[in-house]
């Protein structure tokens, strides 16, 4: 049943469950939960929910894993109101939700823009004394930052640091991104510098945030130096980063530097994103930039002729 569901063959898995009943093998909670997950993966939430009712009808009590499977399915399908309703039903049926249940609903609420409900939920988690893991903390910080509550997120971050909570690089990236977007560049730089003190190393996403901001501020030599330091540290740029840096430099008209990153994209056999291609064509359609095309790698010289 598990393998069939993973392959999307949920109807066959359902037939197997029916066969178990016919030959006198009573399905347990695990059997039903596996099939629920298969329906959830296929986006068939009504069928998944019906299985929960079927469990109760045959005197099987759904456990936390059964509810978590459905909660995750509802949230993945964007049906957050149904997820909240099910979460409350879980409480009424005296099935104690764990960190996975709370985190699933919390992330769904943030993603659906239900900020006040999400905030109420995570405050209840904290008041109840529940031990939060780093995954949950990152969801809370990211949700707060995406809803313009950077100050509150920053206080929580500082509190985690003071308690020697084991942070990860995603935590730092969330906060650095939010601080940069809110204009708190010094705090972002200080946080980037502090990464090593926590026994962590920046990943490609963290470097991308910092380099993009340096380009935005016109600190081009510093951005070049940080990119070189990134490569020297063994962190390899990915396609998303290189495309983003090309676009940021094109917006500033820094064609020479654009050429260096185009060469890097070619060297690593990456492709252009549609927005990068569109911006390249747009920039070199303007007379003031056409003569700069010769500073690009030779394969891009066609941009001049194409736009004449």
């Amino acid at each position: 049943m598990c393998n069939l569901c993973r392959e999307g063959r949920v109807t066959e898995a359902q037939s197997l469950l029916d066969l178990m009943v016919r030959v006198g093998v009573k399905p347990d909670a695990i059997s039903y939960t596996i099939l629920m997950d298969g329906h959830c993966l296929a986006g068939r939430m009504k069928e998944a929910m019906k299985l929960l009712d079927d469990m109760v009808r045959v005197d099987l009590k759904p456990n936390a894993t059964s509810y978590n499977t459905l909660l995750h399915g509802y949230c993945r399908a964007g049906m957050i109101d149904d997820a909240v309703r099910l979460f409350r039903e879980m409480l009424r049926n005296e099935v104690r939700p764990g960190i996975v249940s709370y985190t699933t609903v919390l992330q769904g609420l943030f993603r659906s823009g239900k900020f006040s409900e999400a905030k109420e939920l995570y405050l209840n988690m904290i008041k109840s004394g529940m031990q939060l893991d780093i995954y949950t903390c990152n969801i809370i910080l990211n949700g707060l930052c995406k809803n313009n509550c950077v100050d509150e997120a920053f206080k929580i971050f500082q509190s985690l640091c003071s308690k020697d909570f084991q942070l990860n690089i995603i935590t730092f990236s969330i906060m650095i991104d939010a601080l940069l977007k809110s204009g708190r560049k010094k705090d972002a730089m200080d946080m980037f510098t502090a990464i090593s003190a926590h026994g962590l190393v920046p990943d490609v996403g963290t470097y991308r945030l910092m380099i993009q901001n340096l380009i935005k501020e016109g600190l081009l030599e510093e951005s070049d130096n940080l990119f070189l330091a990134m490569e020297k540290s063994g962190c390899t740029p990915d396609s998303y980063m290189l495309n983003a840096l090309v676009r940021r430099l094109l917006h500033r008209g820094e064609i020479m530097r654009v050429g260096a990153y185009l060469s890097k994209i070619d060297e690593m056999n990456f492709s252009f994103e549609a927005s990068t291609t569109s911006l390249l064509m747009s920039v070199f359609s303007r007379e003031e930039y056409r003569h700069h095309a010769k500073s690009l790698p030779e394969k891009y010289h066609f941009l001049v002729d194409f736009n004449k």
Side-chain angles (χ1 to χ4, degrees):
M1 285 176 62
C2 188
N3 287 330
L4 287 169
C5 287
R6 284 174 180 170
E7 293 179 7
R9 298 160 65 183
V10 186
T11 302
E12 293 173 69
Q14 178 73 59
S15 298
L16 196 55
L17 183 77
D18 297 338
L19 177 62
M20 290 171 68
V21 175
R22 287 200 302 273
V23 299
V25 178
K26 185 177 180 181
D28 59 10
I30 295 174
S31 307
Y32 278 98
T33 302
I34 287 171
L35 193 53
M36 279 181 202
D37 190 43
H39 282 301
C40 289
L41 288 171
R44 298 163 60 177
M45 293 310 302
K46 285 185 179 179
E47 290 86 345
M49 192 63 200
K50 181 180 179 298
L51 286 168
L52 191 74
D53 296 333
D54 290 345
M55 288 179 69
V56 175
R57 194 173 62 251
V58 297
D59 296 323
L60 278 176
K61 184 176 180 179
N63 56 27
T65 303
S66 306
Y67 279 104
N68 288 341
T69 299
L70 290 168
L71 288 172
H72 186 68
Y74 275 131
C75 290
R76 183 169 46 208
M79 303 168 68
I80 187 59
D81 291 335
D82 292 289
V84 171
R85 176 190 55 75
L86 184 65
F87 183 75
R88 290 171 179 160
E89 179 183 317
M90 184 179 183
L91 294 172
R92 286 196 303 272
N93 291 337
E94 298 181 346
V95 178
R96 185 177 179 182
I99 189 68
V100 174
S101 310
Y102 276 102
T103 300
T104 301
V105 177
L106 184 65
Q107 187 170 38
L109 288 168
F110 274 129
R111 285 179 174 172
S112 301
K114 296 180 178 292
F115 176 65
S116 57
E117 293 95 326
K119 189 172 181 179
E120 181 182 356
L121 182 61
Y122 91 73
L123 288 175
N124 286 337
M125 293 170 69
I126 294 171
K127 288 177 184 176
S128 70
M130 181 174 288
Q131 294 296 312
L132 306 186
D133 58 18
I134 187 58
Y135 180 70
T136 308
C137 289
N138 286 343
I139 287 173
I140 293 171
L141 291 173
N142 190 55
L144 288 170
C145 290
K146 289 289 188 287
N147 286 275
N148 301 315
C149 293
V150 180
D151 288 340
E152 187 172 350
F154 193 57
K155 287 178 182 176
I156 292 175
F157 176 85
Q158 290 177 316
S159 174
L160 293 174
C161 291
S162 67
K163 295 174 183 176
D164 291 328
F165 193 88
Q166 186 57 55
L167 306 176
N168 62 21
I169 195 60
I170 296 173
T171 319
F172 280 88
S173 295
I174 289 169
M175 292 307 307
I176 288 171
D177 185 34
L179 290 168
L180 289 172
K181 287 177 178 176
S182 61
R184 296 169 60 174
K185 299 175 183 62
K186 185 181 184 305
D187 286 333
M189 291 296 295
D190 290 344
M191 192 171 290
F192 181 77
T193 305
I195 288 174
S196 59
H198 289 264
L200 301 170
V201 293
D203 64 8
V204 65
T206 321
Y207 277 113
R208 175 181 53 79
L209 292 171
M210 295 302 299
I211 295 172
Q212 278 185 296
N213 184 68
L214 289 170
I215 294 172
K216 180 182 176 183
E217 295 297 310
L219 302 172
L220 302 176
E221 188 173 342
E222 288 89 337
S223 73
D224 290 343
N225 290 338
L226 187 55
F227 187 85
L228 291 172
M230 179 191 77
E231 291 192 304
K232 189 176 180 180
S233 72
C235 182
T236 305
D238 59 15
S239 178
Y240 182 68
M241 177 188 197
L242 292 173
N243 273 271
L245 298 186
V246 165
R247 291 194 298 271
R248 188 59 62 97
L249 288 166
L250 282 171
H251 281 302
R252 292 192 62 87
E254 292 290 337
I255 308 304
M256 292 284 288
R257 283 183 165 84
V258 166
Y261 287 111
L262 291 179
S263 296
K264 184 69 66 174
I265 287 174
D266 293 340
E267 176 189 324
M268 303 184 77
N269 293 317
F270 291 147
S271 301
F272 285 139
E273 295 172 6
S275 55
T276 307
T277 302
S278 176
L279 188 56
L280 271 169
M281 302 301 291
S282 174
V283 166
F284 288 102
S285 68
R286 287 141 60 181
E287 187 65 40
E288 66 265 34
Y289 288 115
R290 285 181 183 172
H291 68 283
H292 289 300
K294 298 299 182 183
S295 65
L296 300 179
E298 187 174 352
K299 67 180 289 186
Y300 298 101
H301 291 180
F302 78 93
L303 289 166
V304 177
D305 297 326
F306 183 87
N307 286 292
K308 281 184 180 178

